Amino acid sequence: MIEFRFIDYGTDFGTRDMGQKLRQKLLTLIKDNERIVLDFTGVNVVSNAFADECIAKLLLEMSLDELKCHTTFRGLNPLAERSVLVALQRRYKVLTESRA
């Protein structure tokens, strides 16, 4: 299992631009490794926009089951956890509605 430490890139994540950059790094790691720990320890802010761009848009590349199989989260504070969950729920809803 490999660890992706968000603290190595900052403590506050608010932009889609940063989300896109980190998503590209995550995609490479996911393709090269069996499982990745997404470690948010020490991160203060995760905006909805960043969470959508970095995490939820992974659903454009893989199914929710694949994402669950390849990733696990650690160290999310309550506000950051909410941002990630809301982003995943919204993105999943859009994708499932577009397939129906």
Side-chain angles (χ1 to χ4, degrees), residues 38-50:
L38 304 178
D39 188 358
F40 285 85
T41 302
V43 171
N44 297 320
V45 175
V46 175
S47 73
N48 288 337
F50 174 85

Side-chain angles (χ1 to χ4, degrees), residues 9-62:
Y9 301 93
T11 58
D12 300 307
F13 297 98
T15 67
R16 285 193 173 273
D17 184 53
M18 178 60 92
Q20 188 272 332
K21 289 176 185 172
L22 294 184
R23 178 169 35 88
Q24 294 307 317
K25 291 179 184 289
L26 289 175
L27 279 171
T28 300
L29 289 173
I30 288 169
K31 289 177 183 175
D32 293 344
N33 296 280
E34 192 168 305
R35 194 149 171 87
I36 298 175
V37 176
L38 304 178
D39 188 358
F40 285 85
T41 302
V43 171
N44 297 320
V45 175
V46 175
S47 73
N48 288 337
F50 174 85
D52 178 57
E53 195 68 39
C54 183
I55 308 296
K57 279 193 174 179
L58 291 170
L59 294 175
L60 298 173
E61 305 289 331
M62 65 192 75

